[in-house]
Amino acid sequence: MPNSEEARNPAHSIIAASVAAGIASDLLLRAGPWGVNFPLWMLLILTLTGVLAWRLGVELPPRVRVTGTFALAAAAGLALRDSPALKLLDVAAAGTLLAWSWWQARAVRLGVGGVVEHAWRLLFAGVAATAGLAVLLLETASRRPAAGGRGPGRGGRAVAIGVVIAAPLLFGFGGLLASADAVFARGLAKLVAIDFAEVMSHLVPIGLGAWFAGGWLVAFLLPDRVRARGLTVPQFVALGAAEVNVALGLVNLLFLTFITVQVQYLFGGSGLVEVTPGLSYSEYARSGFFQLVAAVALAVPTLLGADWVLAKSGRKAFRIQAALLVLMLGVVLASAWHRLGLYQAEYGWTALRLYVAVFMGWLAVTLLWFCATVLTGRRDRFVFGAVTAGFAMLAALNAWNPEAWMVRQNLELARRGRAFDARYAARLSADAIPALAKAWPELARDQQRTLAKAFARFSDSRPPDRRTWSVSVAEARRVLAERGPPWRTAFDR
């Protein structure tokens, strides 16, 4: 049952929950790189939100709970994989989903909205979470007790405010007096034997964790303190069908000319490289690969902008031209994919090439979604679908373990006579260790020596910090422990 007294004065409960979250952030998040500690901290925040919502009588719609569960699942990616790139993407996804749930609690339909509206929602949710606790503290400090009484918690609040005011004064005057008298300084040092560096190392994560957790709770549970403000983008620029279609037609002509002139190079293979003087695999694949991907990536916002400024009339011609451009972008994207295939077949996979390939896949899905939404008059559904596709790909990456796959592919190329870059493999995360350990017997001695140093990072006899535990790190340590001495002796070769 909701607590009616607490519902009338929720400040103390939210501040207490914020302090608890801050202490938890110090206990959990101080250790890095983050692993299971981050999803545990997020689980605490979501649990506090649910408990306080129940006690304050705030109803959380089912869709909010669903989105919060997805946010927790994204955070759980840090407890699964050890790749820094994946961890960064997981944290960004979890934050985005939390912002979405905040807007859902205010009955905002996330499936509807343009690029600017969605960007504004993320920004406003972040500002609300940053300022929420400050709003509550100012309101609490300025509240006056009822006439004839001290008011609830007035004494404790007065003491807390007095301590906060006195703290800088005590530090300032204490420092001056200690520097003026050595005896007083020694006595003060014995009385206040504080390692300020150690204290600050705890106070900073406690303060940051409490501040953002409290801001989230205030913004989520007290909508009257932090009111949601939507953003309506005025169409201050409107062009006629002729202007837009002429511009888009010229862009189409440019892409068509490029594809026509470069057709033999766009999908050229080893034969083209062999007959072209001075052209190597590296130059052929890398020189135009990133430019082609960038051209496709820039074309999507260009098409969205053209659709936005286009007046209501003349959309039929625009849709035909946009569809033609999307088709040619698909050809360019296929060419970029072909070049990437040639390059990796010769030089192997790296994390950059792999994630660019994933990005290309997301671009292909986005282009198809553009045709299904914008070109059919449902522009306001484009952004949500494109971002959701990105979330789905991120979930697939976490399940797939791209670094282990990358190592297996590079080892297969080495068996066919290509060089295996052990130095690069040694810089990979724990995700790659089982695959590297399995291939250990077939590696050259200098490659084994290089990888032995990487293995040492994950096979230390000291127990790892449990807060940074992840499935990948635990599996890497288990595999190396089973392999035993052979890889250790590589140091002495």
Side-chain angles (χ1 to χ4, degrees):
M1 294 292 291
N3 190 316
S4 58
E5 176 61 30
E6 190 174 20
R8 287 194 297 269
N9 186 22
H12 297 96
S13 298
I14 290 180
I15 292 173
S18 303
V19 173
I23 295 173
S25 69
D26 177 58
L27 295 175
L28 291 173
L29 302 183
R30 279 168 53 85
W34 287 349
V36 72
N37 48 357
F38 182 74
L40 285 177
W41 187 76
M42 180 169 283
L43 176 62
L44 173 64
I45 299 299
L46 295 176
T47 302
L48 289 173
T49 303
V51 171
L52 286 178
W54 174 75
R55 292 182 63 85
L56 299 177
V58 177
E59 184 179 358
L60 297 180
R63 60 181 177 276
V64 173
R65 294 193 289 270
V66 171
T67 307
T69 302
F70 279 122
L72 185 60
L78 278 76
L80 179 62
R81 296 296 168 218
D82 189 49
S83 166
L86 276 181
K87 289 187 176 185
L88 180 61
L89 292 173
D90 287 333
V91 171
T96 301
L97 288 165
L98 282 181
W100 278 10
S101 69
W102 185 79
W103 283 97
Q104 282 181 320
R106 283 146 179 81
V108 173
R109 295 178 57 194
L110 292 176
V112 177
V115 176
V116 178
E117 287 90 342
H118 276 277
W120 167 257
R121 289 168 185 172
L122 293 179
L123 176 62
F124 191 88
V127 171
T130 303
L133 189 59
V135 172
L136 186 64
L137 291 175
L138 290 174
E139 177 187 293
T140 304
S142 61
R143 184 180 299 136
R144 298 184 181 278
R150 294 179 58 84
R154 175 63 179 174
R157 185 162 61 249
V159 171
I161 294 174
V163 170
V164 172
I165 294 174
L169 299 176
L170 290 175
F171 275 102
F173 288 124
L176 290 174
L177 294 175
S179 62
D181 188 284
V183 176
F184 177 77
R186 286 194 293 269
L188 186 62
K190 293 179 180 179
L191 180 64
V192 189
I194 300 176
D195 186 345
F196 286 99
E198 179 67 18
V199 170
M200 291 303 296
S201 71
H202 290 278
L203 287 181
V204 169
I206 289 175
L208 291 176
W211 187 265
F212 285 106
W216 162 260
L217 292 172
V218 172
F220 204 94
L221 301 174
L222 303 178
D224 57 327
R225 269 70 165 187
V226 182
R227 298 184 182 276
R229 292 182 174 85
L231 178 67
T232 301
V233 182
Q235 187 167 350
F236 53 85
V237 176
L239 298 178
E243 293 89 337
V244 173
N245 285 308
V246 166
L248 193 56
L250 292 174
V251 173
N252 278 335
L253 182 60
L254 174 66
F255 273 90
L256 180 60
T257 304
F258 176 79
I259 292 174
T260 302
V261 173
Q262 297 291 324
V263 64
Q264 61 174 331
Y265 294 97
L266 283 172
F267 298 101
S270 58
L272 174 66
V273 176
E274 292 172 359
V275 301
T276 305
L279 183 63
S280 65
Y281 272 106
S282 176
E283 292 170 337
Y284 168 73
R286 186 170 55 184
S287 62
F289 168 70
F290 289 105
Q291 291 90 333
L292 294 178
V293 176
V296 177
L298 290 174
V300 175
T302 300
L303 286 170
L304 287 172
D307 177 77
W308 182 65
V309 301
L310 181 63
K312 293 183 179 180
S313 61
R315 286 192 171 273
K316 184 176 181 180
F318 165 77
R319 289 170 181 171
I320 294 174
Q321 291 213 73
L324 289 174
L325 180 56
V326 168
L327 182 61
M328 288 188 287
L329 291 174
V331 175
V332 174
L333 200 59
S335 169
W337 182 267
H338 182 68
R339 292 190 183 211
L340 176 63
L342 288 175
Y343 193 69
Q344 67 83 21
E346 186 71 17
Y347 298 103
W349 285 97
T350 63
L352 176 61
R353 296 167 202 162
L354 181 61
Y355 283 106
V356 170
V358 173
F359 177 68
M360 290 165 60
W362 177 79
L363 278 178
V365 172
T366 300
L367 288 173
L368 293 176
W369 185 243
F370 175 87
C371 295
T373 54
V374 179
L375 296 188
T376 58
R378 295 180 292 175
R379 171 193 173 88
D380 55 355
R381 299 181 181 274
F382 170 76
V383 177
F384 180 79
V387 175
T388 301
F391 287 157
M393 287 188 173
L394 178 58
L397 283 174
N398 278 285
W400 177 37
N401 191 356
E403 286 194 0
W405 178 87
M406 183 170 62
V407 166
R408 289 193 295 268
Q409 295 298 310
N410 290 342
L411 288 169
E412 182 61 30
L413 288 175
R415 297 184 187 103
R416 299 174 186 174
R418 300 291 189 267
F420 179 73
D421 192 347
R423 290 177 180 268
Y424 178 78
R427 297 197 298 268
L428 297 175
S429 70
D431 295 344
I433 293 298
L436 290 171
K438 184 177 181 181
W440 177 267
E442 60 184 287
L443 297 177
R445 287 190 175 184
D446 59 331
Q447 294 173 331
Q448 290 180 343
R449 282 195 297 269
T450 301
L451 291 179
K453 299 176 183 178
F455 288 178
R457 302 199 313 267
F458 301 100
S459 61
D460 197 322
S461 59
R462 295 172 297 177
D465 195 318
R466 293 182 179 179
R467 294 171 291 183
T468 63
W469 182 91
S470 69
V471 172
S472 286
V473 172
E475 179 65 12
R477 292 177 66 88
R478 184 192 67 79
V479 168
L480 293 178
E482 289 179 353
R483 293 282 170 175
W487 71 265
R488 295 180 182 275
T489 59
F491 281 118
D492 303 325
R493 293 179 181 175

